[in-house]
Amino acid sequence: MKLVVGLGNPGRKYDQTRHNIGFMVADALVRRYVGSPPTTKFEGEISECRIENEKVLVLCPHTYMNASGQSVRKAMDFYKLSPEDILVICDDLNLETGRVRLRRSGSAGGQKGLVDIIRHLGSEQWARLKIGIGRPPAKWQVSDYVLGKFDKTELEEMEHAVVHSCDATACWVANGVTEAMNRYNAASGA
C-alpha cells in the first residue's frame, strides 16, 4: 500500500492557486485511476485507487498547508506505513513554472508544508514530487504570489505538469523512486 499526499489549502478561495498544485495532481490521479469518492478522514479527504495492482491512498490534508504533517501522520499511523511508502506532491518556488522534480528524500527547501511533515514524521526519508511555480515578480510578497491564481499561460503549462506528475507518480508506485526519478526528472529537464 502507498500513500500519495497532495498539498494545498482547502476551500474555493484557494482553487487554482499556485500553492494548490498538489491538490490538482491528487484530483487528477483519482480521476485517472477511477478512485473511490473521497471520504473525510485524518483531517483531510482521502480516496482509494489501484495503480498497477497496488492499493494507493490519495490524501489531501484540510489542515491548511503549514499544518499538513498532522494529517499525514494520522494516515501513516492508521495504515502502519513506513516513510518509504509515502509520496508528497507540492509546489516549489525554486523551480521554473511547470518543471517537475522527484526526490527520494531531502530538506523542505523552505516549503512550509514539507517543514511540518518532516516535523511530524521525524524524518526526511520519504519521497517528494515538487512542481515548479517560479519566483514571484519583483516587489511581490511570496505569500501573495503562492496564494495567487495561475494566469492563462501558466495554467496551460501546469496542465502539462499535472499529467507529467501523474505519470511520475504511477511510475513511483509501480517501479520505485529510482526508476521514476530517472525517467521523469530527465523528461522535465530537472
Side-chain angles (χ1 to χ4, degrees):
M1 179 186 307
K2 301 290 185 191
L3 175 64
V4 175
V5 181
L7 297 187
N9 288 312
R12 287 187 179 269
K13 173 181 174 182
Y14 299 105
D15 282 349
Q16 303 296 311
T17 61
R18 293 176 185 90
H19 228 16
N20 273 33
I21 191 65
F23 279 8
M24 293 166 70
V25 174
D27 290 344
L29 273 170
V30 171
R31 283 193 312 273
R32 180 189 282 192
Y33 293 100
V34 194
S36 65
T39 58
T40 302
K41 200 170 185 178
F42 312 119
E43 297 183 66
E45 284 188 354
I46 194 162
S47 297
E48 182 182 316
C49 57
R50 293 201 82 72
I51 299 175
E52 299 291 328
N53 293 319
E54 178 85 34
K55 182 177 178 178
V56 178
L57 304 166
V58 181
L59 174 66
C60 291
H62 282 187
T63 53
Y64 291 91
M65 179 69 75
N66 297 354
S68 300
Q70 59 198 37
S71 176
V72 176
R73 182 81 226 190
K74 286 179 180 185
M76 183 180 155
D77 289 349
F78 183 85
Y79 290 106
K80 297 177 178 40
L81 299 172
S82 69
E84 295 79 26
D85 297 322
I86 298 171
L87 173 67
V88 177
I89 304 170
C90 65
D91 62 293
D92 190 323
L93 284 165
N94 297 313
L95 292 175
E96 67 186 57
T97 301
R99 180 173 279 186
V100 174
R101 181 177 291 158
L102 181 64
R103 292 289 180 252
R104 173 184 322 278
S105 62
S107 72
Q111 213 284 358
K112 292 191 168 120
L114 297 183
V115 167
D116 196 61
I117 294 170
I118 290 168
R119 184 172 67 82
H120 278 274
L121 300 189
S123 171
E124 295 179 351
Q125 301 304 309
W126 38 271
R128 68 271 334 258
L129 191 149
K130 296 179 176 183
I131 303 164
I133 60 170
R135 300 296 303 172
K139 299 185 180 182
W140 274 50
Q141 293 292 320
V142 170
S143 59
D144 291 338
Y145 180 72
V146 299
L147 296 176
K149 295 194 184 282
F150 292 111
D151 67 30
K152 187 176 180 176
T153 304
E154 290 173 315
L155 202 50
E156 289 173 11
E157 289 180 71
M158 296 318 281
E159 288 172 2
H160 294 291
V162 167
V163 170
H164 191 73
S165 297
C166 287
D167 294 343
T169 300
C171 186
W172 171 78
V173 169
N175 304 305
V177 70
T178 301
E179 176 68 23
M181 285 169 53
N182 289 339
R183 191 178 304 172
Y184 291 94
N185 287 352
S188 79

